[in-house]
Amino acid sequence: MAKMSDPLVIGRVVGDVVDTFTPCVDMSVTYNSSKQVYNGHELFPSSVTAKPKVEVRGGDMRSFFTLIMTDPDVPGPSDPYLREHLHWIVTNIPGTTDSSFGNEVVGYEMPRPNIGIHRFVFLLFKQKGRQSVTSPSSRHNFNTRSFALENQLGSPVAGVFFNCQRETAARRR
């Protein structure tokens, strides 16, 4: 059972996007080589325009991982009836490198929240070996649980999320 102090539980990533899991691999996500993603911290849309560097530590050269980035709060957090929106999928990431060594199945799409504060979730799944995955037919109405099941990925081995909301001219100062 997940600890109530787990930020993924508090942030409702566990529940809204995935079921309870035990992280067992270290993953770091960094935008613009200086903005590290920490659970629940806010990043401005202007600082997440380019795909981040995602580093995986805890595997070996025989381990391969799939990374999924999704927004479970579409169109807005008070009524996310379009949950989830897919932002990125990278597969076959070697266990001791970063996402640039993987196979980008769905290209990175920058966060553009219109209404409210959105959560942008990165989940890492350990593959059984090198594999190809079924490419989703759409970014809209993506379902992480179904995708993981269809591609025999099991439960995530790492996860992190950040919050992001529409940037106004006043907030940019």
Side-chain angles (χ1 to χ4, degrees), residues 78-132:
S78 62
D79 186 18
Y81 64 89
L82 295 175
R83 171 178 295 161
E84 302 163 44
H85 184 81
L86 178 63
H87 282 266
W88 199 26
I89 296 179
V90 182
T91 63
N92 295 318
I93 302 168
T96 57
T97 61
D98 63 65
S99 56
S100 65
F101 290 93
N103 176 32
E104 194 172 59
V105 175
V106 175
Y108 180 79
E109 179 180 276
M110 69 175 274
R112 279 178 266 180
N114 285 324
I115 304 166
I117 300 170
H118 289 236
R119 296 164 293 164
F120 290 88
V121 181
F122 294 89
L123 292 164
L124 190 70
F125 295 84
K126 186 171 185 183
Q127 300 171 192
K128 291 180 174 33
R130 235 182 228 282
Q131 71 181 69
S132 57

Side-chain angles (χ1 to χ4, degrees), residues 148-165:
L149 187 64
E150 289 166 12
N151 291 285
Q152 301 168 8
L153 295 172
S155 294
V157 294
V160 67
F161 77 101
F162 68 91
N163 294 321
C164 189
Q165 62 184 307

